[in-house]
Amino acid sequence: GAVVSQHPSWVICKSGTSVKIECRSLDFQATTMFWYRQFPKQSLMLMATSNEGSKATYEQGVEKDKFLINHASLTLSTLTVTSAHPEDSSFYICSASPVTGPSSYNSPLHFGNGTRLTVT
Amino acid sequence: AQSVAQPEDQVNVAEGNPLTVKCTYSVSGNPYLFWYVQYPNRGLQFLLKYITGDNLVKGSYGFEAEFNKSQTSFHLKKPSALVSDSALYFCAVRDLGGATNKLIFGTGTLLAVQP
């Protein structure tokens, strides 16, 4: 159980275009989803927390207008990289947990398989 | 703020030998600690967690981790390494300071198991 599906697994786009990445919780509802970015040989950096039905919470230094997050349902969050540039090339990973509230403290996050974005 | 540190970028071990991947933590309050594994171009897979109770935590694929409060460590261990264990390992701590209870990750340790 607790499967998170991410699509696409890889995408190549031209500079200046926008790319949408989907994150779905397949067998549970997720009021909160997390978007991470991973550079080669580096750790995961949290970009934003996606909240169903409300605005996402962005980490310091992450451009809200560039990385648009929409969490319109309890099973789907999307990350849109707008006007992509080569420096946006990275591995983007989403995660979610079926547990909410204080019980979520000790509940692991479940991760999608990531999306490799290459901007040419 | 909560944080974890993984002092080793890479750990090399021969197949069949025991392995240890180190992690130290810094938290205010009780720590909620996790280990994850990542294979190339894939997401992270949960291995185990420490919340409370026994200091030795057993997890998936034969891995275990020892919580040591005095040393603020949570090292990942396995008695006998397999070549298939070669991957990137992340230690993480739950950040209880905000409203989202997000996970804060260490920098990762690449485990290379030689046949």
Side-chain angles (χ1 to χ4, degrees):
Chain A
V3 178
V4 175
S5 175
Q6 196 170 332
H7 179 81
S9 55
W10 60 270
V11 58
I12 302 173
C13 70
K14 292 186 177 181
S15 185
T17 62
S18 295
V19 174
K20 180 184 286 188
I21 302 170
E22 293 186 347
C23 181
R24 295 180 183 273
S25 55
L26 297 186
D27 52 1
F28 65 97
Q29 294 182 332
T31 56
T32 302
M33 291 185 176
F34 301 90
W35 287 96
Y36 288 86
R37 180 175 181 178
Q38 185 179 29
F39 293 97
K41 298 184 179 181
Q42 292 191 25
S43 186
L44 288 83
M45 300 301 297
L46 180 65
M47 299 175 64
T49 302
S50 172
N51 304 300
E52 188 269 335
S54 64
K55 291 182 179 180
T57 304
Y58 289 82
E59 295 298 304
Q60 191 173 7
V62 177
E63 298 177 59
K64 301 179 182 180
D65 295 333
K66 181 164 189 62
F67 298 100
L68 298 179
I69 291 173
N70 182 276
H71 195 154
S73 78
L74 287 171
T75 59
L76 174 64
S77 174
T78 60
L79 168 67
T80 301
V81 183
T82 62
S83 186
H85 291 285
E87 57 265 29
D88 298 325
S89 298
S90 192
F91 193 56
Y92 294 87
I93 312 175
C94 71
S95 66
S97 170
V99 182
T100 60
S103 297
S104 65
Y105 300 166
N106 58 12
S107 178
L109 290 181
H110 299 273
F111 287 80
N113 280 330
T115 297
R116 173 72 60 191
L117 170 63
T118 302
V119 185
T120 61
Chain B
Q2 325 284 61
S3 67
V4 288
Q6 294 180 245
E8 303 157 316
D9 290 337
Q10 183 164 338
V11 170
N12 299 308
V13 64
E15 187 176 29
N17 284 359
L19 69 88
T20 298
V21 182
K22 296 180 180 178
C23 172
T24 58
Y25 65 88
S26 175
V27 302
S28 53
N30 294 323
Y32 294 81
L33 298 163
F34 302 80
W35 273 103
Y36 285 83
V37 59
Q38 183 183 32
Y39 295 97
N41 294 310
R42 300 296 295 272
L44 275 67
Q45 296 179 31
F46 168 71
L47 283 178
L48 51 79
K49 66 180 180 181
Y50 173 83
I51 306 301
T52 185
D54 291 339
N55 290 340
L56 186 62
V57 179
K58 293 189 182 296
S60 306
Y61 312 120
F63 283 93
E64 57 190 28
E66 185 172 7
F67 173 74
N68 188 316
K69 187 174 183 178
S70 63
Q71 297 183 6
T72 62
S73 66
F74 188 54
H75 299 333
L76 181 70
K77 300 181 179 183
K78 188 173 182 180
S80 178
L82 300 173
V83 173
S84 56
D85 292 330
S86 299
L88 190 56
Y89 290 81
F90 289 99
C91 181
V93 63
R94 183 77 74 181
D95 184 359
L96 303 180
T100 57
N101 302 323
K102 59 193 179 189
L103 276 181
I104 305 298
F105 287 88
T107 50
T109 298
L110 183 64
L111 174 65
V113 182
Q114 283 88 37

